[in-house]
Amino acid sequence: DAYREEHPETGKWHYVNIPKAEAKFDRNRDCPVSAADPKSPWRDCITDRILYFEGRLGDDSLSIKERAFALKFLVHLIGDIHQPFHALGDERGGNGIAVSFLGSSRCDSYNCNLHGVWDDMIIEEQGLNEKKYTERLLQEIKDNQWERLAGGEPTTWANISHHYAIEAMVPNGALITQEYVTEESKVVDAQLALGGLRLARVLNRILGTPEAPAAPNTQPGPVSLPKPAVDAAPAASPTPAATPQQPPQ
């Protein structure tokens, strides 16, 4: 995010503005042509840029520095696409919705907004340090057999995040209650776990030994979560590590 502040032309790479009224991502509607390079086949939204950096990471004609840069972006963007409000175009992805979080209008150093609640506050409210939270997620992965959901591709991930964002929307000025936090923390945990699993699958495909594709699915096991109103796409076919990804058509 510090890099984005110094390079604002990369800001749109971190999200995709799917309208609340639409059920799923449409590249022509939701992913604008690059303003910095209008002739580029790669557009300025998170779904395109994940594929772009996958190709850059796997391109062994590039320097180590260039591939390391691609790796940093890939780790960050796969995390971002699993935050539901990075896939919602309305109210600037929830940044424009002021809320009171458990009775307070201040969330750490900023005035509470819905996007920030999902970025930080729901996680902080769990009261776990990084080690304990990781242990909990690993146990949930095991209990729910989430490894089988490690495949897929960015458009599918964005569509699922978009659905979760719609389900979690509240009106401007709403009070975020403990009940809201308890319910939505299930989604946060699932998305954190799945984001990690999918990142690992992508990195293993590009840099290591490809694993068997996961069965297409969109719904994490027995945990009670809203079912995405989209069809899952099959896991992306493994691309040879040295072959750059091609832009979607």
mmCIF file of all heavy atoms in Angstrom, residues 102-130:
data_model
loop_
_atom_site.group_PDB
_atom_site.id
_atom_site.type_symbol
_atom_site.label_atom_id
_atom_site.label_comp_id
_atom_site.label_asym_id
_atom_site.label_seq_id
_atom_site.Cartn_x
_atom_site.Cartn_y
_atom_site.Cartn_z
ATOM 1 N N LEU A 102 -19.245 -1.203 17.290
ATOM 2 C CA LEU A 102 -19.467 -1.564 18.693
ATOM 3 C C LEU A 102 -19.608 -0.317 19.568
ATOM 4 O O LEU A 102 -19.097 -0.251 20.686
ATOM 5 C CB LEU A 102 -18.343 -2.470 19.208
ATOM 6 C CG LEU A 102 -18.111 -3.769 18.416
ATOM 7 C CD1 LEU A 102 -16.980 -4.574 19.030
ATOM 8 C CD2 LEU A 102 -19.384 -4.610 18.338
ATOM 9 N N GLY A 103 -20.297 0.693 19.002
ATOM 10 C CA GLY A 103 -20.602 1.898 19.758
ATOM 11 C C GLY A 103 -19.607 3.023 19.612
ATOM 12 O O GLY A 103 -19.827 4.106 20.163
ATOM 13 N N SER A 104 -18.514 2.824 18.885
ATOM 14 C CA SER A 104 -17.507 3.871 18.709
ATOM 15 C C SER A 104 -17.429 4.291 17.249
ATOM 16 O O SER A 104 -17.463 3.450 16.354
ATOM 17 C CB SER A 104 -16.138 3.375 19.166
ATOM 18 O OG SER A 104 -15.141 4.346 18.878
ATOM 19 N N SER A 105 -17.312 5.589 17.028
ATOM 20 C CA SER A 105 -17.169 6.099 15.664
ATOM 21 C C SER A 105 -15.708 6.135 15.222
ATOM 22 O O SER A 105 -15.413 6.435 14.068
ATOM 23 C CB SER A 105 -17.751 7.508 15.558
ATOM 24 O OG SER A 105 -17.038 8.407 16.403
ATOM 25 N N ARG A 106 -14.774 5.825 16.136
ATOM 26 C CA ARG A 106 -13.349 5.801 15.812
ATOM 27 C C ARG A 106 -12.850 4.373 15.761
ATOM 28 O O ARG A 106 -13.115 3.562 16.662
ATOM 29 C CB ARG A 106 -12.538 6.587 16.850
ATOM 30 C CG ARG A 106 -12.816 8.076 16.872
ATOM 31 C CD ARG A 106 -12.269 8.765 15.636
ATOM 32 N NE ARG A 106 -10.811 8.771 15.601
ATOM 33 C CZ ARG A 106 -10.105 9.256 14.570
ATOM 34 N NH1 ARG A 106 -10.741 9.721 13.495
ATOM 35 N NH2 ARG A 106 -8.797 9.245 14.589
ATOM 36 N N CYS A 107 -12.152 4.066 14.704
ATOM 37 C CA CYS A 107 -11.536 2.748 14.533
ATOM 38 C C CYS A 107 -10.033 2.956 14.444
ATOM 39 O O CYS A 107 -9.520 3.386 13.399
ATOM 40 C CB CYS A 107 -12.063 2.083 13.269
ATOM 41 S SG CYS A 107 -13.793 1.563 13.356
ATOM 42 N N ASP A 108 -9.340 2.694 15.540
ATOM 43 C CA ASP A 108 -7.912 2.998 15.630
ATOM 44 C C ASP A 108 -7.701 4.480 15.339
ATOM 45 O O ASP A 108 -8.209 5.319 16.047
ATOM 46 C CB ASP A 108 -7.101 2.091 14.692
ATOM 47 C CG ASP A 108 -7.139 0.631 15.143
ATOM 48 O OD1 ASP A 108 -7.341 0.373 16.346
ATOM 49 O OD2 ASP A 108 -6.980 -0.263 14.285
ATOM 50 N N SER A 109 -7.005 4.813 14.236
ATOM 51 C CA SER A 109 -6.645 6.206 13.966
ATOM 52 C C SER A 109 -7.555 6.892 12.957
ATOM 53 O O SER A 109 -7.273 8.008 12.536
ATOM 54 C CB SER A 109 -5.196 6.267 13.443
ATOM 55 O OG SER A 109 -5.079 5.526 12.230
ATOM 56 N N TYR A 110 -8.649 6.240 12.561
ATOM 57 C CA TYR A 110 -9.510 6.823 11.530
ATOM 58 C C TYR A 110 -10.978 6.719 11.949
ATOM 59 O O TYR A 110 -11.344 5.950 12.834
ATOM 60 C CB TYR A 110 -9.283 6.119 10.186
ATOM 61 C CG TYR A 110 -9.606 4.632 10.188
ATOM 62 C CD1 TYR A 110 -10.869 4.173 9.818
ATOM 63 C CD2 TYR A 110 -8.641 3.694 10.547
ATOM 64 C CE1 TYR A 110 -11.166 2.819 9.820
ATOM 65 C CE2 TYR A 110 -8.926 2.343 10.552
ATOM 66 C CZ TYR A 110 -10.190 1.905 10.185
ATOM 67 O OH TYR A 110 -10.481 0.557 10.202
ATOM 68 N N ASN A 111 -11.806 7.531 11.301
ATOM 69 C CA ASN A 111 -13.244 7.430 11.507
ATOM 70 C C ASN A 111 -13.742 6.138 10.872
ATOM 71 O O ASN A 111 -13.408 5.839 9.723
ATOM 72 C CB ASN A 111 -13.960 8.634 10.879
ATOM 73 C CG ASN A 111 -13.671 9.918 11.611
ATOM 74 O OD1 ASN A 111 -13.482 9.929 12.835
ATOM 75 N ND2 ASN A 111 -13.632 11.022 10.892
ATOM 76 N N CYS A 112 -14.530 5.385 11.595
ATOM 77 C CA CYS A 112 -14.943 4.065 11.133
ATOM 78 C C CYS A 112 -15.719 4.146 9.825
ATOM 79 O O CYS A 112 -16.616 4.980 9.651
ATOM 80 C CB CYS A 112 -15.838 3.377 12.173
ATOM 81 S SG CYS A 112 -15.022 3.009 13.730
ATOM 82 N N ASN A 113 -15.365 3.275 8.895
ATOM 83 C CA ASN A 113 -16.163 3.061 7.694
ATOM 84 C C ASN A 113 -16.234 1.560 7.444
ATOM 85 O O ASN A 113 -15.442 0.780 8.008
ATOM 86 C CB ASN A 113 -15.592 3.812 6.487
ATOM 87 C CG ASN A 113 -14.213 3.320 6.084
ATOM 88 O OD1 ASN A 113 -14.063 2.233 5.542
ATOM 89 N ND2 ASN A 113 -13.186 4.120 6.368
ATOM 90 N N LEU A 114 -17.174 1.138 6.623
ATOM 91 C CA LEU A 114 -17.436 -0.292 6.472
ATOM 92 C C LEU A 114 -16.245 -1.038 5.887
ATOM 93 O O LEU A 114 -15.927 -2.146 6.316
ATOM 94 C CB LEU A 114 -18.678 -0.498 5.608
ATOM 95 C CG LEU A 114 -19.210 -1.923 5.504
ATOM 96 C CD1 LEU A 114 -19.535 -2.495 6.882
ATOM 97 C CD2 LEU A 114 -20.459 -1.967 4.614
ATOM 98 N N HIS A 115 -15.564 -0.427 4.928
ATOM 99 C CA HIS A 115 -14.395 -1.085 4.343
ATOM 100 C C HIS A 115 -13.314 -1.309 5.404
ATOM 101 O O HIS A 115 -12.740 -2.400 5.496
ATOM 102 C CB HIS A 115 -13.841 -0.238 3.193
ATOM 103 C CG HIS A 115 -12.761 -0.910 2.404
ATOM 104 N ND1 HIS A 115 -12.957 -1.378 1.128
ATOM 105 C CD2 HIS A 115 -11.472 -1.208 2.711
ATOM 106 C CE1 HIS A 115 -11.837 -1.919 0.679
ATOM 107 N NE2 HIS A 115 -10.917 -1.829 1.628
ATOM 108 N N GLY A 116 -13.053 -0.283 6.199
ATOM 109 C CA GLY A 116 -12.037 -0.406 7.235
ATOM 110 C C GLY A 116 -12.392 -1.441 8.285
ATOM 111 O O GLY A 116 -11.509 -2.135 8.814
ATOM 112 N N VAL A 117 -13.672 -1.547 8.606
ATOM 113 C CA VAL A 117 -14.118 -2.580 9.548
ATOM 114 C C VAL A 117 -13.729 -3.960 9.036
ATOM 115 O O VAL A 117 -13.267 -4.812 9.804
ATOM 116 C CB VAL A 117 -15.644 -2.476 9.771
ATOM 117 C CG1 VAL A 117 -16.203 -3.750 10.397
ATOM 118 C CG2 VAL A 117 -15.961 -1.277 10.656
ATOM 119 N N TRP A 118 -13.889 -4.168 7.737
ATOM 120 C CA TRP A 118 -13.534 -5.468 7.154
ATOM 121 C C TRP A 118 -12.033 -5.633 6.968
ATOM 122 O O TRP A 118 -11.516 -6.754 7.013
ATOM 123 C CB TRP A 118 -14.285 -5.675 5.840
ATOM 124 C CG TRP A 118 -15.670 -6.183 6.073
ATOM 125 C CD1 TRP A 118 -16.755 -5.470 6.499
ATOM 126 C CD2 TRP A 118 -16.110 -7.528 5.938
ATOM 127 N NE1 TRP A 118 -17.846 -6.293 6.638
ATOM 128 C CE2 TRP A 118 -17.483 -7.564 6.283
ATOM 129 C CE3 TRP A 118 -15.504 -8.714 5.540
ATOM 130 C CZ2 TRP A 118 -18.238 -8.730 6.263
ATOM 131 C CZ3 TRP A 118 -16.245 -9.880 5.504
ATOM 132 C CH2 TRP A 118 -17.593 -9.875 5.865
ATOM 133 N N ASP A 119 -11.324 -4.540 6.760
ATOM 134 C CA ASP A 119 -9.863 -4.628 6.657
ATOM 135 C C ASP A 119 -9.232 -5.015 7.987
ATOM 136 O O ASP A 119 -8.296 -5.829 8.029
ATOM 137 C CB ASP A 119 -9.285 -3.276 6.228
ATOM 138 C CG ASP A 119 -9.153 -3.121 4.718
ATOM 139 O OD1 ASP A 119 -9.341 -4.104 3.984
ATOM 140 O OD2 ASP A 119 -8.864 -1.985 4.280
ATOM 141 N N ASP A 120 -9.707 -4.400 9.074
ATOM 142 C CA ASP A 120 -8.988 -4.479 10.346
ATOM 143 C C ASP A 120 -9.827 -4.897 11.548
ATOM 144 O O ASP A 120 -9.447 -5.800 12.296
ATOM 145 C CB ASP A 120 -8.359 -3.112 10.676
ATOM 146 C CG ASP A 120 -7.466 -2.585 9.577
ATOM 147 O OD1 ASP A 120 -6.605 -3.346 9.105
ATOM 148 O OD2 ASP A 120 -7.637 -1.408 9.196
ATOM 149 N N MET A 121 -10.961 -4.215 11.758
ATOM 150 C CA MET A 121 -11.601 -4.254 13.054
ATOM 151 C C MET A 121 -12.211 -5.612 13.395
ATOM 152 O O MET A 121 -12.174 -6.037 14.553
ATOM 153 C CB MET A 121 -12.663 -3.156 13.158
ATOM 154 C CG MET A 121 -12.101 -1.742 12.943
ATOM 155 S SD MET A 121 -10.643 -1.392 13.964
ATOM 156 C CE MET A 121 -11.353 -1.463 15.602
ATOM 157 N N ILE A 122 -12.802 -6.293 12.408
ATOM 158 C CA ILE A 122 -13.376 -7.620 12.702
ATOM 159 C C ILE A 122 -12.272 -8.574 13.136
ATOM 160 O O ILE A 122 -12.452 -9.384 14.064
ATOM 161 C CB ILE A 122 -14.142 -8.168 11.480
ATOM 162 C CG1 ILE A 122 -15.402 -7.332 11.234
ATOM 163 C CG2 ILE A 122 -14.516 -9.638 11.687
ATOM 164 C CD1 ILE A 122 -16.185 -7.749 10.007
ATOM 165 N N ILE A 123 -11.108 -8.463 12.507
ATOM 166 C CA ILE A 123 -9.976 -9.315 12.888
ATOM 167 C C ILE A 123 -9.471 -8.939 14.280
ATOM 168 O O ILE A 123 -9.249 -9.813 15.134
ATOM 169 C CB ILE A 123 -8.847 -9.200 11.846
ATOM 170 C CG1 ILE A 123 -9.303 -9.789 10.506
ATOM 171 C CG2 ILE A 123 -7.587 -9.908 12.333
ATOM 172 C CD1 ILE A 123 -8.326 -9.568 9.378
ATOM 173 N N GLU A 124 -9.302 -7.642 14.521
ATOM 174 C CA GLU A 124 -8.796 -7.215 15.827
ATOM 175 C C GLU A 124 -9.735 -7.619 16.960
ATOM 176 O O GLU A 124 -9.292 -7.937 18.071
ATOM 177 C CB GLU A 124 -8.589 -5.699 15.831
ATOM 178 C CG GLU A 124 -7.436 -5.233 14.956
ATOM 179 C CD GLU A 124 -7.218 -3.740 15.028
ATOM 180 O OE1 GLU A 124 -7.758 -3.101 15.960
ATOM 181 O OE2 GLU A 124 -6.503 -3.202 14.157
ATOM 182 N N GLU A 125 -11.028 -7.615 16.672
ATOM 183 C CA GLU A 125 -12.013 -7.934 17.712
ATOM 184 C C GLU A 125 -11.905 -9.384 18.179
ATOM 185 O O GLU A 125 -12.399 -9.727 19.261
ATOM 186 C CB GLU A 125 -13.419 -7.639 17.182
ATOM 187 C CG GLU A 125 -14.532 -7.814 18.195
ATOM 188 C CD GLU A 125 -14.429 -6.887 19.396
ATOM 189 O OE1 GLU A 125 -13.744 -5.836 19.308
ATOM 190 O OE2 GLU A 125 -15.038 -7.203 20.435
ATOM 191 N N GLN A 126 -11.250 -10.245 17.399
ATOM 192 C CA GLN A 126 -11.094 -11.639 17.813
ATOM 193 C C GLN A 126 -10.167 -11.768 19.025
ATOM 194 O O GLN A 126 -10.180 -12.783 19.724
ATOM 195 C CB GLN A 126 -10.549 -12.498 16.653
ATOM 196 C CG GLN A 126 -11.361 -12.385 15.362
ATOM 197 C CD GLN A 126 -12.837 -12.579 15.576
ATOM 198 O OE1 GLN A 126 -13.274 -13.596 16.125
ATOM 199 N NE2 GLN A 126 -13.633 -11.598 15.151
ATOM 200 N N GLY A 127 -9.321 -10.762 19.232
ATOM 201 C CA GLY A 127 -8.444 -10.759 20.402
ATOM 202 C C GLY A 127 -7.333 -11.785 20.352
ATOM 203 O O GLY A 127 -6.836 -12.215 21.406
ATOM 204 N N LEU A 128 -6.909 -12.169 19.166
ATOM 205 C CA LEU A 128 -5.870 -13.177 19.007
ATOM 206 C C LEU A 128 -4.615 -12.550 18.422
ATOM 207 O O LEU A 128 -4.708 -11.694 17.533
ATOM 208 C CB LEU A 128 -6.348 -14.295 18.081
ATOM 209 C CG LEU A 128 -7.599 -15.067 18.517
ATOM 210 C CD1 LEU A 128 -8.026 -16.037 17.419
ATOM 211 C CD2 LEU A 128 -7.347 -15.819 19.819
ATOM 212 N N ASN A 129 -3.457 -12.995 18.895
ATOM 213 C CA ASN A 129 -2.231 -12.551 18.247
ATOM 214 C C ASN A 129 -2.045 -13.334 16.943
ATOM 215 O O ASN A 129 -2.821 -14.243 16.630
ATOM 216 C CB ASN A 129 -1.015 -12.709 19.172
ATOM 217 C CG ASN A 129 -0.756 -14.152 19.596
ATOM 218 O OD1 ASN A 129 -1.079 -15.103 18.884
ATOM 219 N ND2 ASN A 129 -0.185 -14.313 20.782
ATOM 220 N N GLU A 130 -1.030 -12.962 16.181
ATOM 221 C CA GLU A 130 -0.838 -13.574 14.860
ATOM 222 C C GLU A 130 -0.682 -15.091 14.953
ATOM 223 O O GLU A 130 -1.253 -15.844 14.157
ATOM 224 C CB GLU A 130 0.381 -12.957 14.174
ATOM 225 C CG GLU A 130 0.606 -13.447 12.751
ATOM 226 C CD GLU A 130 1.745 -12.730 12.058
ATOM 227 O OE1 GLU A 130 2.084 -11.595 12.475
ATOM 228 O OE2 GLU A 130 2.313 -13.298 11.108
#
